[in-house]
Amino acid sequence: PADGYIFDLEDAVAPEAKDDARALVVSAAQSGSYGRREIVIRTNGLDTDWANADIDAAITARPHAILVPKIDTADMVRALNKRFDDAGAPADLQIWAMMETPLAMLNAASIAAVAADEGSRFSCFVMGTNDLAKETGAAMTADRLPMLSWLSTCVAAARAYGLTILDGVYNNFRDLDGFANECAHGRSLGMDGKTLIHPSQIEPCNNHFAPGEDEVDFARKIIAAFKLPENQAKGAITLEGRMVERLHAEIARRTVVIADAIEAMAGDKTE
């Protein structure tokens, strides 16, 4: 019951296996075997010998998105957008960016701002915490304090320009308590979800990032309350003893959209 699958051509594939992996990924993405789940293809980095073939093949595979590693600047995203357009990619094919370098952290706001360009396909940040630790020398601690400022900066940039942002992977897939703690931390920072490396991580991730029944129920009540004729012009109302502002109605609508998507996908089976 994952929301999407990322088929990886980068770190998960040895150099001598890149061509075979590319063909297998295209076949899998085109198979139609994954129900409502988002299908994303992660290419090799733009400075590698495999990037051009990866991007061309990924466009033909028609996934929901193509995830590109080591995005450092806004110009890299704009160049990708033009390349997709020139290749005749479907209008709904999205660009996702791995945020995993020191330069990306310094440029997070300008990279995110590409989402506001006319015709932009850019829709998601994916935090590459392993590479970020490697390139900065920051420690991978349980509290993630060495990375806190970078994570928060990327969340703020994503929110400023309407991007989705996914937290990085947790390497020790046998440590479910540690993983659950990191999910809770990511959600508290404002992350929309988390990238996973093992099936055992799916259920605890869903438990932390999916809205609970009480949260969804109250969200529906907020939406309904602001639709009442006497409340339509109000900026704030009282609901069940709480002050609720119109901004909470916007949050509530997003909560309901997520809950409805989860319910719609619940019956899907993968082959």
Side-chain angles (χ1 to χ4, degrees):
D3 298 314
Y5 301 141
I6 299 175
F7 296 131
D8 189 25
L9 297 175
E10 193 205 16
D11 291 342
V13 182
E16 64 274 13
K18 297 289 188 183
D19 291 342
D20 289 341
R22 188 183 305 118
L24 289 169
V25 160
V26 168
S27 177
Q30 292 176 329
S31 69
S33 300
Y34 303 99
R36 297 174 185 265
R37 288 158 185 81
E38 284 192 301
I39 300 301
V40 181
I41 295 175
R42 182 167 74 162
T43 68
N44 286 278
L46 297 177
D47 61 347
T48 68
D49 293 337
W50 308 290
N52 287 331
D54 287 351
I55 292 171
D56 290 343
I59 289 173
T60 66
R62 301 284 182 102
H64 294 92
I66 295 175
L67 172 59
V68 182
K70 295 181 174 55
I71 293 295
D72 288 332
T73 67
D75 285 345
M76 292 173 74
V77 183
R78 291 193 172 100
L80 281 166
N81 207 90
K82 184 179 186 303
R83 179 168 180 173
F84 283 29
D85 290 344
D86 291 347
D92 58 353
L93 177 59
Q94 302 168 32
I95 296 171
W96 290 15
M98 293 292 304
M99 299 291 285
E100 54 187 347
T101 67
L103 194 54
M105 299 303 101
L106 295 175
N107 291 331
S110 62
I111 294 171
V114 176
D117 291 356
E118 183 177 356
S120 179
R121 300 169 179 271
F122 190 34
S123 65
C124 184
F125 277 168
V126 179
M127 299 306 301
T129 45
N130 282 332
D131 278 77
L132 195 52
K134 180 185 73 175
E135 295 202 23
T136 61
M140 300 281 282
T141 61
D143 60 9
R144 299 206 289 183
L145 189 59
M147 290 193 180
L148 185 57
S149 63
W150 303 326
L151 296 172
S152 296
T153 293
C154 288
V155 169
R159 291 291 166 261
Y161 293 99
L163 294 173
T164 297
I165 179 166
L166 303 180
D167 203 355
V169 299
Y170 187 81
N171 298 318
N172 186 358
F173 59 82
R174 300 186 192 281
D175 178 13
L176 294 183
D177 288 339
F179 175 73
N181 288 336
E182 192 163 289
C183 285
H185 183 252
R187 175 114 195 239
S188 72
L189 290 176
M191 299 287 181
D192 294 302
K194 191 167 181 65
T195 46
L196 314 178
I197 58 171
H198 194 273
S200 65
Q201 296 177 329
I202 295 173
E203 184 176 358
C205 184
N206 286 341
N207 289 341
H208 281 278
F209 285 98
E213 288 185 20
D214 291 344
E215 184 181 354
V216 175
D217 181 60
F218 193 64
R220 295 189 191 279
K221 290 179 180 179
I222 292 173
I223 294 168
F226 273 104
K227 285 182 178 179
L228 294 174
E230 63 268 29
N231 292 333
Q232 289 184 5
K234 293 182 179 179
I237 60 174
T238 300
L239 181 63
E240 296 185 356
R242 306 186 215 178
M243 188 188 79
V244 179
E245 299 181 68
R246 192 160 291 278
L247 65 89
H248 295 124
E250 296 176 10
I251 296 170
R253 281 189 285 273
R254 185 172 184 276
T255 298
V256 169
V257 166
I258 292 171
D260 288 346
I262 291 170
E263 183 178 356
M265 198 167 59
D268 274 0
K269 303 294 182 183
T270 59
E271 295 179 5

